[in-house]
Amino acid sequence: MSAALNGAEALCAALVEAGIEAVFGVPGTQTVPFYEALRRSGLRTITATQELAACFMAQGYFRASGRLAAVSTIPGPGFSFALAAVPEAYLDGAGLVLLTGAPPLCPRGRRRSQAIDQAAMARPVIKAVIDATSAACIKDAVRRACRLARHGEPGPVLLQVATGALTESMSCDMPAPDAEVAEQSYETKIDDAAVKFCAAAKRPFFYVGQGALDAVVELRRAVEALGAVVATTPSGRGALPEDDERVLPLDATGDVDAVNGIIAACDVVVVLGAALSEAGTLGFRLKLPPERLVRVDVSTAVLALPPQARYSVQSTSRAFLQALLAQLHKDGSAPRGFDRAQAQQLRARLQDRRCGGPSDARIGGGTAKEFFTALRRAIPVDGYLVVDSGMHQLLARRHFIVLQPRSLLFPTDFQSMAFALPAAIGVKLARPQAPVVALLGDGGFAISGMELRTAVAHRLALPVIVLADGALGLIRLEQLLTHGHAYATELSPFDYAAMADAVGCAYAHATGADIETHVRAAFDRSSPTLIAVAVGDAPALRHALQRRRLHRMLRAMLGERLLQTARKLRGRS
């Protein structure tokens, strides 16, 4: 005779069976049975300060490791708070399972507490909504949710568990029904003509996205065999080390005109695992010629997006590159593509026109480039830098050299503030032996700073660097350059040392040049370290504002003189 389980215990067992090891969330009244089952399940449970951060933690966990985590919320307010972070996962291809209670049913004409249409709210930013209407449905629902979240282009899946299902008894061996959920096909369909077209390239260009990061070994072999040059989307950075002469630092420089000139001279352009979004094409300014374009992606939905290609291949990047390498082996080892000297010349065309510009803020007592060069020395090759949305992200993308796949993580296509600290916690929990650094501005820290308590609770050796300029820096910069003044973007002074003391973590004030020393010391501690660094305006910004004031003064003076002249002319007539 089989022992009886309740729905909460069945849910935990199903999560373990599906390969999930961690559950992020905030307990509530409706999830008390689930958390009791978690206590005895062996699953790691991480209680965040709030559900928004829990969802970002799960995203960092997946983006660093490729392993799914679950996010647990109560229905209604807990679900709604977590939902604000879901679009980031949806647009950035981060798999997670959002576990929540089904909203309470409302008798006609009555309003139940916390009753909202969660499925309708989530559908635009979710891969699927799956309902477990009873304890017997839970195992199959979890299996389906995890499969959908992982496969194809990864993303978030909402799993709603009906009221009462968590406490409902069931037999361990009770068969689970097969829920009806539409699933997209992700079969590999290698096109021989596309492979031969790429193998015959004389001047090949590879554009690599996040979807190709599981195929970096095959990518390097194909690039070297073809003599190709490579650029990446923001999420694809590190597919090849960025100090390699064949890698064109497009995201770092933003010099899309130079890259477009290189693409125009190439006879084959191969896009691997990239949706070619606005962020991935520098505002759709990247010119990818359809007659020379080969697109490879597991998702037919991605391949259906513009631009059209000569060949659209539904395949993993690894399978396609393996087929390409086999074709190159068959064709022989004749000299191909660009030699090293030519690749270096192409790389030299990309000049960072933004370096030293109004956005290149001073960090501590030195330049942004000096700061990120020191930070790069401090973080080992196998480490991670997790960045928020804001001015500091632009500086990190410009100056931090990425040497490994997924080692620079930031919100890409949704650009959520408050991402970095909780996502870094997720990364550190997924990769406990790897060095992880969180980098954020003081605006992002104002939203997410209390998650230091979560890092302290789990004794994470996590350096948390706050670049503090006392403002919402990027918006302030736009205001100054557009209007000559800032408004509603200044932040009140904040005592970071007192904050660190209050949550029980170490604190350091860095001057910028000493960031390497502080980060290395933080790695050696058994709890997080809050590191504050003062940020000042770029000299070029001050010069730009002086020029602006001068121009306004001259326009005012000349305008008055022209008005006086016009009055004299009217008087004579």
Side-chain angles (χ1 to χ4, degrees):
M1 182 176 178
S2 298
L5 295 177
N6 64 25
E9 292 165 336
L11 177 56
C12 289
L15 292 172
V16 171
E17 186 177 320
I20 286 181
E21 300 169 346
V23 177
F24 299 90
V26 179
T29 298
Q30 297 92 327
T31 57
V32 166
F34 179 49
Y35 274 80
E36 173 58 19
L38 280 173
R39 183 180 66 84
R40 295 180 278 111
S41 68
L43 287 159
R44 185 164 193 180
T45 305
I46 299 92
T47 300
T49 302
Q50 30 92 351
E51 294 87 352
L52 177 80
C55 198
F56 284 142
M57 288 176 192
Q59 293 177 47
Y61 190 95
F62 179 86
R63 288 180 64 177
S65 67
R67 305 198 305 273
L68 279 184
V71 178
S72 172
T73 78
I74 64 166
F79 161 81
S80 300
F81 212 6
L83 187 61
V86 170
E88 194 71 63
Y90 184 71
L91 293 179
D92 287 355
L96 63 87
V97 176
L98 177 55
L99 292 170
T100 191
L105 297 175
C106 297
R108 189 169 182 175
R110 307 300 293 269
R111 178 180 293 176
R112 291 286 299 274
S113 176
Q114 300 181 343
I116 54 174
D117 191 342
Q118 297 177 164
M121 293 172 66
R123 278 196 180 98
V125 293
I126 213 98
K127 288 185 74 174
V129 177
I130 299 176
D131 290 296
T133 56
S134 67
C137 297
I138 285 175
K139 179 178 178 180
D140 184 68
V142 170
R143 178 180 61 82
R144 286 223 168 216
C146 293
R147 188 167 71 225
L148 283 168
R150 286 189 185 102
H151 287 183
E153 185 176 16
V157 173
L158 174 61
L159 175 54
Q160 299 186 122
V161 181
T163 301
L166 292 177
T167 55
E168 182 182 334
S169 295
M170 59 173 286
S171 170
C172 287
D173 56 3
M174 182 178 293
D178 197 20
E180 291 296 325
V181 178
E183 295 189 44
Q184 186 179 355
S185 171
Y186 297 112
E187 297 177 2
T188 291
K189 301 174 182 177
I190 301 295
D191 186 328
D192 289 340
V195 171
K196 291 178 180 177
F197 179 71
C198 295
K202 303 299 182 186
R203 297 176 306 280
F205 178 90
F206 279 66
Y207 193 52
V208 180
Q210 179 176 255
L213 294 183
D214 290 331
V216 294
V217 173
E218 292 83 359
L219 174 65
R220 175 172 286 285
R221 289 175 58 201
V223 166
E224 291 177 349
L226 278 168
V229 289
V230 180
T232 75
T233 68
S235 298
R237 291 185 63 171
L240 294 180
E242 292 180 347
D243 55 1
D244 189 307
E245 62 264 33
R246 292 195 176 275
V247 177
L248 308 178
L250 174 58
D251 184 54
T253 67
D255 197 344
V256 68
D257 292 333
V259 171
N260 281 336
I262 293 169
I263 292 173
C266 291
D267 59 342
V268 174
V269 178
V270 185
V271 175
L272 296 170
L276 301 179
S277 65
E278 181 179 9
T281 56
L282 279 78
F284 304 118
R285 293 183 295 132
L286 195 66
K287 296 178 181 178
L288 302 170
E291 71 281 359
R292 290 176 275 145
L293 181 60
V294 178
R295 295 188 64 183
V296 180
D297 205 279
V298 293
S299 170
T300 55
V302 167
L303 293 174
L305 297 171
Q308 295 301 306
R310 179 167 181 159
Y311 297 102
S312 292
V313 183
Q314 185 185 6
S315 169
T316 64
S317 295
R318 174 175 288 148
F320 181 81
L321 289 170
Q322 287 172 342
L324 176 57
L325 288 165
Q327 183 66 43
L328 291 171
H329 179 74
K330 185 188 301 182
D331 292 347
S333 57
R336 304 169 187 271
F338 304 98
D339 61 29
R340 294 287 179 181
Q342 291 170 326
Q344 288 173 346
Q345 289 174 359
L346 294 178
R347 183 181 169 99
R349 287 192 198 177
L350 273 77
Q351 301 297 324
D352 191 352
R353 298 171 185 171
R354 298 178 298 182
C355 276
S359 65
D360 220 26
R362 301 282 294 180
I363 300 180
T367 67
K369 184 174 183 178
E370 291 168 344
F371 175 84
F372 283 101
T373 299
L375 187 59
R376 173 70 277 178
R377 291 195 303 267
I379 302 175
V381 172
D382 63 343
Y384 295 84
L385 177 62
V386 188
V387 184
D388 217 87
S389 180
M391 174 73 76
H392 65 282
Q393 184 192 120
L394 298 183
L395 296 175
R397 290 166 66 176
R398 188 178 304 166
H399 298 296
F400 190 77
I401 298 173
V402 186
L403 302 176
Q404 291 282 336
R406 300 185 180 90
S407 59
L408 175 62
L409 299 179
F410 51 87
T412 305
D413 283 321
F414 203 62
Q415 283 295 335
S416 302
M417 285 180 70
F419 172 88
L421 177 50
I425 291 171
V427 172
K428 187 63 179 175
L429 290 168
R431 300 290 194 199
Q433 303 306 316
V436 181
V437 175
L439 177 70
L440 58 162
D442 38 8
F445 187 80
I447 305 172
S448 65
M450 288 303 292
E451 293 308 323
L452 279 172
R453 295 178 65 185
T454 308
V456 169
H458 292 271
R459 300 182 62 80
L460 302 181
L462 179 67
V464 179
I465 304 172
V466 180
L467 299 188
D469 59 0
L472 302 174
L474 186 58
I475 310 306
R476 171 181 172 271
L477 175 66
E478 293 176 4
Q479 290 176 334
L480 291 173
L481 293 176
T482 304
H483 302 293
H485 53 258
Y487 178 70
T489 51
E490 302 299 318
L491 300 174
S492 59
F494 189 81
D495 190 335
Y496 290 97
M499 175 69 168
D501 184 63
V503 300
C505 73
Y507 172 75
H509 175 78
T511 62
D514 58 354
I515 191 64
E516 180 179 0
T517 300
H518 287 299
V519 168
R520 289 184 183 276
F523 287 148
D524 291 334
R525 297 189 179 104
S526 58
S527 63
T529 303
L530 180 60
I531 305 171
V533 189
V535 176
D537 289 336
L541 175 60
R542 293 193 292 272
H543 297 155
L545 294 176
Q546 290 170 356
R547 289 195 300 271
R548 179 185 174 85
R549 285 192 289 269
L550 178 61
H551 291 163
R552 290 178 65 182
M553 183 177 66
L554 290 173
R555 282 199 302 270
M557 291 173 58
L558 291 173
E560 180 62 28
R561 289 178 182 176
L562 289 172
L563 181 62
Q564 291 174 357
T565 301
R567 286 171 177 166
K568 289 179 182 179
L569 291 173
R570 282 198 301 270
R572 290 174 184 172
S573 62

